[in-house]
């Protein structure tokens, strides 16, 4: 065979047979021997030719063995490439085969490379797919010397074959613009490969994940559950008291699964914690058709929480029989906040109910508060048995409940000392070993300083109101050693967030790298977070989650942004993870969206996660799902981040890590300079009308921006501005959806000045900035005069359908008959405003 370069000598994992001779001897597997190095400027973003992330094949490959650990081929694709190899090699003369067989295998196997999309220009839809992977110059020249005739059988590209006798043009044709990805140099590029197959993280260690939009237009979606009946339907509950049925293709049934909106107590106030709060299907729903709900109700001017049982309608498997409601339990609520709201069935078959402490601040009820008083049901985790309740009592007490023998305690109590647990979940356990199965995770909303995550165990005291997080809240109670309270596995201060939303331990199939990661969030600032248990110490290590930047989320159907106010998390029947959020936290605002969490660094092998849902007989009209969210490719902004320790600091106050000093990269410095100088108003957030209260926390809220693009500082090149790009400048900085219009033309920012400016032209600007609606076109420099810029456009006349203002009729660039006193402006909106 031809001599191999040092890089090339690592390309094969073991000997493979050939029709005219043997392969070179055994060579080490490259991907198993990559050295770790510091992050450089190269940002790996592997992608396969099917526009999906790479994966680990279920069995080792026989032909492209170097990609047996991680790549883009399964056994079927590997066999197809081997057959193609035999077909081509059989047509080669013996000397050519002897010199070129290994090169032929290399070239064919690049379809299995985790960087196949780069090697074949598959990422750029404007370019044709290459028939041969992109080659490095020196490798191409070496191969051309003896193997150029091989390409007659390898490629059908006539342009390439026409260059066969000109080495310089031939290799230029096969080169890549991005030389970091050419073959075989990418095999030994440490910056590319050091984290290959791992979850992409930015320079601060923030995990970059992506999202799939699943449902939209919902009014504060508080819960999403499944029936565990093989249909893979999911049911989304709105705070107002409606539950909707969704089929696996994301279409929604027009008729609601449940509608108790007339009974549910809630209001349009932002942050109102009352309403429809929880729903769960009985583990034997497939056989008994029972569903349990948790909601707020008013009875004779008294507010209560109610847990009720419903049965499925005998006429429609997608509707509950509303006349079948049986009230299982009611608890009086002394205040309108801290209503709890979670319902879960454990592996033991019992129903777990999570109540709040009754509301107000500091649990002021009684001597020690409701949460520490085991004779009340408030501030507790309850456990009851609702099986076989068609006759006799509506529920029974499990015989192993911890306080059944305590005359001073309610026998329903399973755990106590909780403030207001909002969203709990049982761990399904590691898919194969089942390690962790049955652990009960809860997010408990704090009072003034800390939010916490707990693992709930039978009979344990979780400290409230004596303790908030790791810190003492009631010093007298806190010093009482008889409390024997359990400390959280993690707590964070209000500099990081003000209202924890409990999540799930990921145990799905599609994103194997996330297995074992507890993912949760914060309502007030929209922060996504994760915890990972360090088995050797039992400590839970914190990592923040960001939205993917660069190429991380450039996959079909993925987005990298979400509405700020995270309300709840969910699992589907297959164990994939979702969360719900909204741009306006009001029970009547239709701004809620459901997102599925996706890791693009590694996927499960094709076919492994395929599910075959049981058929669903549909009697209602189907409403097809129409996604509304888009991938954001703008350079992200930086926000301050804090870390906390999960270690117990002497059962006292939590210890905060000093935030690491970070220096913004040069792109970020330029953007910050532009923001400070020109007060650019980002127009990608949904406005709220007033600051919301903390979700489930009863604390005063604060405005955090209307829609969050949770992304880390960028290390990409500055965005290339195109002619016709616009931005909104607002002298008074009243909002990010309004301002003076400035336009970019031929390397210069300038203003639009027009006494004929109208709503059609303003609509073009709003759509360009990501807003679907325009509220008003403003004139006479209502948002300030752009004196520091030239007037670039005048006499703009639009039909309203153009992509940008340059497509509209307008005067010559730079020519105008007006002054800056007539600078044009717009007011945009995410919602249609009817005057």
């Amino acid at each position: 065979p031809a001599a191999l370069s040092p890089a090339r000598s690592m390309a094969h994992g073991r000997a493979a047979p050939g029709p005219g001779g043997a392969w070179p001897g055994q060579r080490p597997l490259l991907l198993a021997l990559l050295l770790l190095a510091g992050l450089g400027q190269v940002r790996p973003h592997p992608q396969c030719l099917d526009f999906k992330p790479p994966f680990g094949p279920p069995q080792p490959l026989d032909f492209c063995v170097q990609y047996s650990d991680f790549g883009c081929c399964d056994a079927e694709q590997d066999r197809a490439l081997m057959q193609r190899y035999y077909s081509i090699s059989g047509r080669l003369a013996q000397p050519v085969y002897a010199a070129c067989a290994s090169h032929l295998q290399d070239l064919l196997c690049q379809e299995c490379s985790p960087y196949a999309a780069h090697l074949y220009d598959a990422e750029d839809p404007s370019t044709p797919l290459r028939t041969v992977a992109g080659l490095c110059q020196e490798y191409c020249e070496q191969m051309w010397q003896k193997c150029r005739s091989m390409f007659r059988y390898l490629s059908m590209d006539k342009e390439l074959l026409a260059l066969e006798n000109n080495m310089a043009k031939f290799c230029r044709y096969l080169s890549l613009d991005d030389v970091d990805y050419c073959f075989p140099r990418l095999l030994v590029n440490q910056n590319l490969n050091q984290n290959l197959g791992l979850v992409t993280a930015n320079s601060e260690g923030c995990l970059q994940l992506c999202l799939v939009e699943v449902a939209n237009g919902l009014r504060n979606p508080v819960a999403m559950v499944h029936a565990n009946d093989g249909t893979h339907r999911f049911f989304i509950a709105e705070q107002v008291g409606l539950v909707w049925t969704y089929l696996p293709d994301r279409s929604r049934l027009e008729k609601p699964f449940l509608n108790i909106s007339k009974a549910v107590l809630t209001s349009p106030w932002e942050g109102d914690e009352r309403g429809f709060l929880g729903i769960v299907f009985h583990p034997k729903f497939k056989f008994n058709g029972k569903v349990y709900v948790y909601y707020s109700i008013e009875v004779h001017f008294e507010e209560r929480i109610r847990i009720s049982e419903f049965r499925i309608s005998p006429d429609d498997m997608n509707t509950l029989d509303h006349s079948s409601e049986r009230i299982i339990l009611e608890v009086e609520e002394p205040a309108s906040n801290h209503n709890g709201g979670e319902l879960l069935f454990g592996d033991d078959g019992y129903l777990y109910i999570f109540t709040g402490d009754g509301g107000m601040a500091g649990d002021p009820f009684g001597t020690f508060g409701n949460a520490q008083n085991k004779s009340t049901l408030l501030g507790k985790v309850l456990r009851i048995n609702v099986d076989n309740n068609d006759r006799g009592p509506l529920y029974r007490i499990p015989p192993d409940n911890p306080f059944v023998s305590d005359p001073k305690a309610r026998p329903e109590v399973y755990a106590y000392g909780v403030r207001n647990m909002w969203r709990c979940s049982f761990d399904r356990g590691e898919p194969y070993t089942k390690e962790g199965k049955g652990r009960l995770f809860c997010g408990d909303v704090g009072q003034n300083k800390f939010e916490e995550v707990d693992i709930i165990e039978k009979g344990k005291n979780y400290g409230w109101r004596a303790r908030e997080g790791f810190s003492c809240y009631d010093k007298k109670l806190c010093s009482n050693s008889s409390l024997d309270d359990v400390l959280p596995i993690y707590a964070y201060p209000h500099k990081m967030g003000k209202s924890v939303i409990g999540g799930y331990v990921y145990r799905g199939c599609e994103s194997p790298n996330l297995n074992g990661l507890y993912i949760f969030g914060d309502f007030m600032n929209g922060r996504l977070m994760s915890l990972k248990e360090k088995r050797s110490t039992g400590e839970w290590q914190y990592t923040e989650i960001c939205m993917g930047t660069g190429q991380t989320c450039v996959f079909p159907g993925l987005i990298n942004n979400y509405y700020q106010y995270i309300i709840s998390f969910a699992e589907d029947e297959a164990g994939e993870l979702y969360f719900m959020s909204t741009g306006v936290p009001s029970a009547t605002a239709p701004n809620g969206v459901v997102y599925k969490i996706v890791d693009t660094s590694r996927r499960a092998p094709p076919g492994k996660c395929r599910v075959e849902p049981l058929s669903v007989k549909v009697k209602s009209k189907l409403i097809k799902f129409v996604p509304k969210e888009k991938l954001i490719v703008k350079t992200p902004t930086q926000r301050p981040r804090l870390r906390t320790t999960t270690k117990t600091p002497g059962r006292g106050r939590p210890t905060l890590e000093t935030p690491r000093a970070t220096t913004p990269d040069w792109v970020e410095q330029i953007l910050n300079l532009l923001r400070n100088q020109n007060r650019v108003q980002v127009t990608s957030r949904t406005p709220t009308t007033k600051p919301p209260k903390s979700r489930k926390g009863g604390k005063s809220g604060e405005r955090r921006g209307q829609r969050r693009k949770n992304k880390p500082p960028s290390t990409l090149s500055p965005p290339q501005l195109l002619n016709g790009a616009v931005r909104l400048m607002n002298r008074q900085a009243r909002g990010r959806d309004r301002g003076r219009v400035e336009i970019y033309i031929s390397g210069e920012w300038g203003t639009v000045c027009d006494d004929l400016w109208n709503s059609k032209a303003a609509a073009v600007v709003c759509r360009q900035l990501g807003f679907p609606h325009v509220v008003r076109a403003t004139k006479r420099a209502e948002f300030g005069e752009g004196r520091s810029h030239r007037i670039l456009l005048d006499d703009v006349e639009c039909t309203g359908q153009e992509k940008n203002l340059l497509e509209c009729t307008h005067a010559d660039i730079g020519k105008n008959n007006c002054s800056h006193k007539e600078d044009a402006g717009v007011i945009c909106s995410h919602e249609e405003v009817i005057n």
Side-chain angles (χ1 to χ4, degrees), residues 37 39 87 91 440 708 748 766 781:
L39 277 174
S87 174
R91 302 166 72 181
L440 177 53
R708 180 173 182 261
E748 178 184 7
C766 289

Side-chain angles (χ1 to χ4, degrees), residues 477-740:
L477 271 178
C478 192
S479 62
N480 187 343
S481 60
S482 66
L483 279 178
D484 193 27
D485 52 333
V486 177
L487 293 175
I489 62 169
Y490 182 72
Y492 62 91
H494 281 188
K495 290 181 180 180
M496 283 180 62
K498 293 188 175 181
S499 199
V500 65
I501 307 296
Y504 285 78
V505 177
Y506 180 83
R507 300 297 188 185
C509 173
E510 296 176 9
S511 299
N513 278 345
L514 302 184
N515 184 34
L517 205 64
Y518 177 71
I519 296 178
F520 63 109
D522 189 275
F523 171 79
M524 285 301 293
N525 66 1
R527 191 186 294 265
L528 285 171
M529 299 171 277
S530 72
L531 298 174
K532 182 81 171 183
E533 185 178 19
K534 189 176 181 180
R535 296 179 183 177
S536 59
T537 63
E539 182 184 12
W540 291 82
Q541 299 174 320
Y542 171 86
T543 306
E544 188 162 352
I545 293 174
C546 308
M547 291 294 95
T549 58
Q551 297 289 327
T552 305
C553 296
V554 184
F555 290 81
L558 297 190
I559 58 175
N560 60 350
N561 59 101
Y562 58 91
Y563 284 101
Q564 171 184 326
Y565 299 106
I566 299 173
I567 301 173
S568 190
F569 286 78
E571 276 184 329
D572 65 14
E573 194 167 346
E576 298 305 322
L577 186 58
Y578 302 74
F579 71 91
M580 289 141 273
S581 69
T582 183
V584 181
S586 163
T588 57
N591 296 83
V593 181
V594 180
Y595 305 94
K596 179 180 179 180
I597 295 175
V598 176
D599 169 31
T600 59
S601 64
R602 176 188 289 264
R603 61 170 162 149
K608 180 180 179 181
C609 304
R610 186 182 297 120
V611 296
E612 296 182 3
L614 297 178
S615 62
V616 176
K617 186 179 293 185
V618 175
K619 294 188 175 182
S620 173
K621 178 182 176 182
L622 284 177
I623 301 174
K624 186 178 180 181
F625 171 69
V626 178
K628 296 181 179 179
E629 306 303 310
K630 305 295 182 184
L631 182 73
I632 301 296
V633 294
K634 296 178 182 177
T635 304
T637 57
Q638 174 144 357
R639 69 171 193 275
R641 295 169 59 247
L642 290 176
R643 301 290 179 90
T644 67
T645 179
T646 58
K647 293 181 180 179
T648 306
R651 296 181 62 82
R653 299 180 179 179
T655 304
L656 297 183
E657 267 186 2
T658 304
R660 292 179 293 175
T662 57
T663 303
D665 59 53
W666 65 277
V667 175
E668 189 64 29
Q669 293 174 4
I670 292 173
L671 290 174
N672 285 333
L673 181 62
L674 287 172
R675 290 188 197 101
N676 294 333
Q677 181 177 353
N678 297 326
R679 296 177 293 280
V680 175
Q681 300 301 312
V682 180
T683 58
S684 57
R685 304 192 177 188
T686 303
T688 58
T689 55
K690 60 183 177 181
K693 299 174 185 176
S694 289
R695 177 68 190 161
K696 317 310 298 175
K699 305 183 287 290
S700 60
E702 59 182 280
R703 199 168 201 137
R704 297 277 178 153
Q706 286 70 26
R707 188 178 180 190
R708 180 173 182 261
K709 311 298 177 195
N710 184 16
K711 297 179 287 184
S714 176
T715 57
L716 302 176
S717 301
Q720 297 296 317
L721 293 171
L722 301 176
N723 277 346
V726 292
R727 64 186 183 187
L728 297 185
M729 314 300 293
N730 192 339
R731 181 180 59 187
Q732 297 175 338
R734 289 187 297 171
R736 293 169 174 166
D737 57 347
R738 62 199 66 200
R740 180 179 72 247

